[in-house]
Each structure stands twice: as C-alpha cells, then as structure tokens.
Amino acid sequence: MDIMTGAGLVAGMIVIATMVFLGGDLHMFISDHAAIIIFGGSSAATMIRFPLSVLAHGLPLGLKFAFTMSRLSAHDLVDELARIAEIARKQGPVGLEKVETDEPFLAKGIRYVADGYDLDFIRDNMERDRDNFLLHLNEGSKIYRAVGDCAPAFGMIGTLIGMVQMFSNMSDPSKLGPFMATALLATLYGALVANLLCLPIADKLHGKLIDEETNRTLIIDGILMIRDSKSPTLVREMLLAYLPEKHRHAEGEPVPA
C-alpha cells in the first residue's frame, strides 16, 4: 500500500474542509450545476481523446498503482535473484520448482527456467510482457493528466455560463447571487479535481512507470543469467548496476560462488 497517496489526499481534503467551515457552512460550496459541467465535461473530453480500449485498461490500472507499491524494491530483487541463482547452481533448474516469491513477474521467469525454456523464448516473452504492462501504465498516466488538463478549462466554461446567466438576469437581483456562486464554484471544482486528484496521480504514475521499468528489466537480466548458469556472485555484481551508487555500497556481502 502506498500510504503517501492516501495521506496526501486526506491532508488535502482536511485543508479544504477547514477553510470551508471557517468561512461558513458546507452547503455554500455545493452546486449540482458546477459538478455537471466539471465531471460531465471532463468525462466527455476524455472519451473523445482516448479509445474505449485505452480507457478500459488505463483507468483501473492507473488507480490501482497510484495506491499500491511494488512488492519488492530493486534492492530486494538483487538479493532475491542472487538467492535463486544459488539454488539453481546447487540443485539445477529442477530445484527452482519449489522457489516461492511475492513478485508475479519474477515468478513467471523462475517458472520458465524451471521448465527448461530456451534463452531466446524467455527473453522475448518477458520483454513483451514488460512492454505491454508499461504501455498500459503509461496510458493510465496520460488519462489522468488529460482529465487534470481539461478540468480547469471546463471550470472556466462553467464560470462563463454562470456569468452569462447572471448578466441576462440583471433585472432580477434575487438571481444574481446564485448565478455568481455557480460561476465561481465551477472554477473551484475544476481546480480541485485537477490539482488535488488528477495531476498528482498522473505524476505518481509516471514515477512508478520508471521504477517498474527498472525492476522488470532487472528481473529479465537476472533470469537470463540464471538460465545461462551464471554464478550467484556474477549475477549480483551485474545487477548492482541497476541500483543508485550509494545503494550499491550499502549491499551486503555477495553470495559465495
């Protein structure tokens, strides 16, 4: 669970709610007209931008990864792959059949080695799997960024509609207040949707896409070296290149060859 995403959303809502209640009550900030223009307009624009298949994959995957973390970090993966290489050296590929891991992508690679698939098949299949996953995660980031980009614009549209309605009813002062409130709330809703929800999630997904690309490429290289019967020490030393310099020196002693 990525607690920072949830914590950030909760903190943002607390700040907004505090300001709302310090200056009045919640009912002043509720407008169905503003909600319709923001959520309806943003949804319509997003549907125009992306095909259904992209929305079906990107939205749920993006939301899932915004609130979750990878089961194993790159640091943990280096240790795990060195351990697996040690098992493969002592027991052969058959010994990998009983190896368990919390990382599904790594488990797939272990299964390929245990089943005796050749090097090219393992490389092609795992690289294709990695690229498809990263493509869908990138789609999720683009969708949330698109919503974040158009929500303030629809807030401005809602404001303009409210202004037109207000000026069209200048002869009736009782209608000026509600129309002005609707106009301002549309801008408020658009800014909140963009800056508290969609754009931060898009940035979070972009960062996680980079981490996932590194981790999955690290796993592929480690699995290929294990399939090629490389020593655990060599596996570890080769994979340390994926870690930041300071983390390489923080590693424990290499697995004995």
Side-chain angles (χ1 to χ4, degrees):
M1 182 70 181
D2 187 348
I3 60 173
M4 293 306 295
T5 301
L9 286 173
V10 171
M13 289 187 289
I14 290 175
V15 170
I16 299 301
T18 300
M19 296 304 297
V20 167
F21 288 114
L22 284 177
D25 60 74
L26 184 62
H27 295 90
M28 295 169 54
F29 294 88
I30 296 177
S31 170
D32 53 352
H33 294 82
I36 290 171
I37 189 65
I38 295 302
F39 295 105
S42 298
S43 298
T46 304
M47 291 168 64
I48 296 172
R49 287 187 178 187
F50 300 97
L52 179 60
S53 59
V54 173
L55 293 173
H57 284 102
L59 276 174
L61 185 66
L63 192 61
K64 173 185 176 183
F65 270 81
F67 289 91
T68 58
M69 299 283 288
S70 296
R71 291 179 175 85
L72 296 175
S73 65
H75 178 287
D76 296 329
L77 287 172
V78 172
D79 292 337
E80 186 78 355
L81 285 161
R83 180 182 71 86
I84 294 167
E86 179 72 14
I87 295 172
R89 187 190 67 162
K90 291 180 178 179
Q91 303 178 23
V94 177
L96 299 180
E97 294 180 354
K98 298 181 180 179
V99 172
E100 296 182 356
T101 178
D102 293 331
E103 177 55 57
F105 189 68
L106 176 57
K108 176 184 289 189
I110 295 172
R111 188 176 71 252
Y112 287 159
V113 176
D115 291 344
Y117 289 106
D118 63 75
L119 208 63
D120 290 337
F121 173 88
I122 296 174
R123 178 187 293 109
D124 293 344
N125 195 284
M126 295 190 71
E127 287 181 350
R128 189 179 303 112
D129 191 319
R130 175 200 61 195
D131 293 343
N132 286 336
F133 172 81
L134 295 177
L135 174 64
H136 294 319
L137 192 57
N138 188 46
E139 289 172 346
S141 176
K142 289 181 177 179
I143 292 170
Y144 284 99
R145 188 168 301 282
V147 177
D149 288 340
C150 67
F154 276 99
M156 182 59 65
I157 292 172
T159 298
L160 294 175
I161 292 173
M163 296 289 286
V164 170
Q165 293 172 333
M166 183 182 71
F167 288 125
S168 297
N169 289 272
M170 291 293 288
S171 59
D172 187 355
S174 65
K175 294 183 179 180
L176 299 183
F179 284 138
M180 177 57 78
T182 298
L184 295 177
L185 286 175
T187 300
L188 175 63
Y189 286 6
L192 287 176
V193 169
N195 295 289
L196 184 59
L197 185 64
C198 293
L199 293 180
I201 287 180
D203 288 337
K204 174 65 71 77
L205 292 177
H206 179 71
K208 291 192 174 181
L209 185 148
I210 296 174
D211 291 340
E212 285 292 330
E213 183 177 15
T214 299
N215 289 354
R216 292 185 179 231
T217 304
L218 185 156
I219 289 173
I220 292 172
D221 286 352
I223 289 295
L224 293 177
M225 284 190 285
I226 293 171
R227 176 63 181 83
D228 205 26
S229 303
K230 302 296 184 183
S231 73
T233 301
L234 179 60
V235 171
R236 178 184 288 274
E237 291 301 318
M238 293 291 289
L239 296 181
L240 284 176
Y242 284 96
L243 302 182
E245 185 68 28
K246 61 180 181 180
H247 291 162
R248 299 178 200 175
H249 297 299
E251 291 292 318
E253 292 297 323
V255 176

